Amino acid sequence: MTYYEEYQKQSRGKWASRTRFNLRSLPLYQPSEGHILKLERNYCEATAKFDIQKKVNENERTEFKEELNLLKMLEIKCAIVISCVLIVVSFGKVESSCPTSCQCSNVSAICTPGLTSFPSGFPSHFTALRLSGTFSSRNQIPSIESSHLNSFQKLERLYMAFSNVESITSGSLPTTLITLDLSFNKIGEIAQNTLKGLTRLKVLNLSGNNGTELQLSAFNDLGRLTELYLAEMDLKKLDKRLLDSLPILKVLDLHGNKLKQLDWSFTKTLTNLAYIDISGNIFTELSNSSIMTLPHIKSIHLNDNDWKCTCALDWVKVLPSPIPESVTCSTPETLKYMSIVNVPSSQLSCVPASVSCSSTSSTGKYHTSLNISCTFGGDPFPEVIWTKPGGTELKYYNYDNPNYEVSETGVLTIKSLDVDDDGQWTVQANNVKKQNVVNMQVTVTDIPTTTTTTTTTTTTTTPTTTTRTTTTPTTTSTPTTTTTPPTTTTTTPSTTTPTTTTEKITTTSTAKPTTTTTGKQTTAKTTTPVPPAGNQTTPKPAEGMFSMNTIYMMVAAAGGSAFITSMICLVIHCCTRKKKPPPMSEKKPKQDLFDTVRNLTPRRTRRVHNIGSYEHYE
């Protein structure tokens, strides 16, 4: 028996039947039984590993197919949802197309300059509309009418600069506006009704409207305004009462006007002011109490003014750069064109305030005007305060006493003299160096006198037997009744006028002793008319709870919610799913079993197998 036959007899038939190589081709190779068992064991382990990996790959492919099916289902659901939304939109209200002179996006439109009329046909859901012209190509829209903007339901930003707008119809601006730009137009007046109802407005730009009259109540409804631009409007005076209704204002732009003074007392209420621009005006002086009291001030523009460099302007040096560098001296001549930061404090001189009056008394007739002037001096020019006999102070900015006016030079004008103007006045001149006070006597003549006389009425009645007579009138007979009219007491109120005298009038009424007429007392009853039963109005039944537009919106909302939910589920699933299994490689040709076994037997240390002994096989 050959060696191979003996080996095949002693070996396990199962393993020998699966062996494909022929040991006869290896005449010098005579493995021991232990080595053969090692080879068999390694081969079985390799086969088991291959089977396990094959099953794992099959499971991953199955999961991957399930994920692909899920993705396809999600795509189908998304397509259905989008189709439903499109159907709802198609059956809903059809919006107008964008005008030919404009370019529209989903929620906004920009129109080309040179418009001759207000364009129409915008969708009602637009939130921004830019209809501004340019300096060289202005629009020709003379007025803003209610019909121009009443179709917009969500308009928040409207820009109409350089459009030659002259008037704005009351109530024509949408109450949803947040930003409104009407700069460089020709608006004649901003009244209270012009901006009425714009409670959401935050930015208002009226710059460039020369000569526009601003009523004191123009900004009453703008409680949320944070930015106000009133530049280049040719303003010579700004009434601080315009700003009293703007408590959260942060930006105030007044550049390019003709302001020489400003009542900075508005800073006591506008504590949120952070940016102020008064450049390009004709200011000469600026008090440190005007700006330094603002807790949130960040920037102030002071350049291009006629600054008079005195000791009153020395405080500007402490402001953060580049504010001091922008303050250039206009006077005195020795400091002209120099920046305030380059002028030593010793050269910033001041002259104490002074006041002199040619006469310490003035006389005027009752209800006539009177001008009282004095000569005021000092550098900087002092603040002039006139005080009435009752203690009321009158300044250049006088809001509570319209009958009095103090000019820039300190001249007091009383438009109509009254009784309370008669007495001793005081005039006070103040600047950073000195305070000077002068007394002034004002006499009011031709004050009318008034005589008041009380009217007395006396009634005398003699008591007698009272007889009540009842008479029934008929057409054929006339009753004869002796009746004395009742006594009437008349009181004439006294009238007080400068030229009227009321005389004393005494009226005596004596009733006849024989007849006394008792007046019939009539009680007036107030009856509320009750409508007949047949004419009672039946209350109208309530209208449908949901209109078609509401149903469309509900369907669209449901579809959108389903779409968003599907997308969220898709994202979560894609993030948590397993990696895609590698593609199956092409089937390789089977290797020789000997090569496989050789690759699987790299160990050098002997493994202990559960066999009796290797000697039995030798």
Side-chain angles (χ1 to χ4, degrees), residues 96-201:
S96 303
S97 59
C98 185
T100 56
S101 58
C102 305
Q103 296 180 355
C104 299
S105 65
N106 294 333
V107 294
S108 62
I110 301 177
C111 298
T112 57
L115 298 173
T116 57
S117 62
F118 199 99
S120 60
F122 294 105
S124 61
H125 67 274
F126 272 17
T127 60
L129 190 61
R130 183 178 292 274
L131 305 178
S132 298
T134 60
F135 181 80
S136 59
S137 179
R138 295 175 179 261
N139 297 330
Q140 300 297 327
I141 305 176
S143 63
I144 300 178
E145 306 291 342
S146 300
S147 59
H148 295 162
L149 299 168
N150 58 2
S151 62
F152 292 94
Q153 301 175 358
K154 301 180 180 179
L155 191 63
E156 296 181 350
R157 298 184 298 277
L158 177 61
Y159 304 90
M160 290 189 64
F162 295 102
S163 295
N164 285 338
V165 177
E166 298 178 0
S167 62
I168 303 174
T169 303
S170 176
S172 60
L173 297 174
T175 57
T176 56
L177 283 177
I178 296 178
T179 300
L180 178 60
D181 184 1
L182 297 174
S183 58
F184 297 98
N185 286 288
K186 300 178 180 179
I187 301 175
E189 181 185 22
I190 301 294
Q192 179 180 2
N193 294 332
T194 304
L195 305 174
K196 186 176 181 180
L198 302 185
T199 56
R200 298 181 57 191
L201 195 66

Side-chain angles (χ1 to χ4, degrees), residues 334-353:
T334 56
L335 304 177
K336 196 171 184 178
Y337 304 124
M338 292 182 63
S339 175
I340 188 70
V341 296
N342 298 327
V343 178
S345 299
S346 59
Q347 297 185 19
L348 298 175
S349 59
C350 289
V351 178

Side-chain angles (χ1 to χ4, degrees), residues 326-367:
S326 63
V327 178
T328 303
C329 301
S330 295
T331 55
E333 289 294 331
T334 56
L335 304 177
K336 196 171 184 178
Y337 304 124
M338 292 182 63
S339 175
I340 188 70
V341 296
N342 298 327
V343 178
S345 299
S346 59
Q347 297 185 19
L348 298 175
S349 59
C350 289
V351 178
S354 63
V355 55
S356 62
C357 301
S358 58
S359 175
T360 58
S361 63
S362 296
T363 304
K365 293 184 179 181
Y366 180 78
H367 277 188

